[in-house]
Structures are given as structure tokens and as C-alpha cells.
Amino acid sequence: MKKIKILVLILLIVLLSACSLTKEAIDEDDFNRIMISEGFKVTNVINEYVESSYFEEAFIAEKDGYEIQFYELEDDSFAKKIYNANKQQMESAKDGTYMESNVDLINNNKYSVDTQGTYTVVSRIDDTIVYLSVNSKFKEEVNSILKKLGY
């Protein structure tokens, strides 16, 4: 009986840890609703990407002189490529003193860097990307918004 309890406990721990390794992507409606409730002006910019067939949706939310971008792509392979290209560009832009964070899990990645007074984040869940590059004074504010978005 004791072996069964231990086995059940181990199975429960594995299941709970696997659940925390994945996230659920939001869609454009969720992005718009959350950003508008936070006082942002949201603009659909998909027309800027008509020549790139792998973009399904593209939005920019603006407030206080900065913006947060949201993209939904054809599939997660395109999202991974865009995430990796942005991450590589951010890594090469690091200069002097900086703080960075990198998370790579099952269906999501997040990379952020704070350098030279600019805080930049690229975050991917499945086939979606959220990107921002703001003055470091907005770091806490945008991290709060990213948390509300689930990114």
C-alpha cells in the first residue's frame, strides 16, 4: 500500500510539473480586450504584412509613447523562426552593463534584455509572438501587462 501511495505521489508531481511547462496562447480578441482594458489604443496592422503569407494577424497596442506588438502566425514553426531571429538581434545589441532572462519550455519561449536604458522582450507561445522594446522606466508596467496576457 505504501508503494502505491508513493507511486501516486510521484505521478501527481510529474503531471503538475508538466502542466507548468506549457502555456495557452491568446488570440487577437483576447489581446485586444486586455490591451484596451489597460488603456491602450490597438491597431490592426496586418496590411503591413500582406507580402508575408505566414502572418495571420498583427496588432500594435500603443500607450504613453510605447507599443506592444502581437502576431499570430500560420504555425508554430514560423513563430519559432521569428522568435529566434528577434532573440539573436537582441543578443547582438547588448552593450555594456545589461540584465537578461531566457526561458525555453515545451510550447513557449521568452527572452528579455535590459541594456542602455531600453527593455526589450520577445515571447512566443505556440504560433503567437508578443514583442516590445520600451524605455526601461516602463519595465515594471509592461511586465505586469505581459503577465495579464500570459506571456
Side-chain angles (χ1 to χ4, degrees):
M1 187 65 146
K2 189 173 182 175
K3 288 181 182 180
I4 292 174
K5 287 182 181 179
I6 292 173
L7 186 59
V8 169
L9 182 62
I10 291 171
L11 182 61
L12 184 61
I13 291 170
V14 169
L15 288 173
L16 289 175
S17 64
C19 290
S20 67
L21 297 177
T22 62
K23 291 185 175 186
E24 187 174 332
I26 61 171
D27 62 17
E28 66 276 5
D29 293 332
D30 295 327
F31 180 79
N32 286 320
R33 180 181 45 76
I34 293 167
M35 298 310 286
I36 289 169
S37 75
E38 292 294 319
F40 283 80
K41 176 184 177 239
V42 180
T43 306
N44 185 329
V45 293
I46 192 63
N47 289 336
E48 295 177 21
Y49 299 94
V50 290
E51 294 183 22
S52 301
S53 62
Y54 45 85
F55 282 90
E56 302 270 322
E57 300 290 343
F59 291 90
I60 294 177
E62 298 173 286
K63 176 179 156 181
D64 297 332
Y66 69 87
E67 63 184 39
I68 298 176
Q69 303 169 20
F70 174 81
Y71 303 97
E72 185 176 337
L73 293 114
E74 188 175 287
D75 62 42
D76 67 340
S77 67
F78 290 114
K80 287 176 185 176
K81 288 178 186 176
I82 290 172
Y83 170 83
N84 288 326
N86 277 282
K87 179 182 175 190
Q88 186 175 36
Q89 185 177 42
M90 291 163 60
E91 288 173 327
S92 66
K94 293 184 299 192
D95 193 25
T97 304
Y98 62 88
M99 290 181 14
E100 68 181 336
S101 171
N102 186 52
V103 177
D104 293 312
L105 297 173
I106 293 173
N107 72 329
N108 60 89
N109 316 87
K110 183 176 183 179
Y111 180 73
S112 64
V113 64
D114 192 347
T115 184
Q116 304 290 325
T118 302
Y119 180 63
T120 307
V121 177
V122 61
S123 184
R124 179 194 71 85
I125 301 175
D126 293 330
D127 62 347
T128 62
I129 298 272
V130 171
Y131 176 85
L132 61 91
S133 184
V134 302
N135 185 300
S136 293
K137 70 182 181 181
F138 295 113
K139 181 177 180 176
E140 287 184 34
E141 182 178 333
V142 295
N143 279 335
S144 173
I145 294 166
L146 289 173
K147 187 174 183 175
K148 290 176 183 175
L149 292 170
Y151 285 74

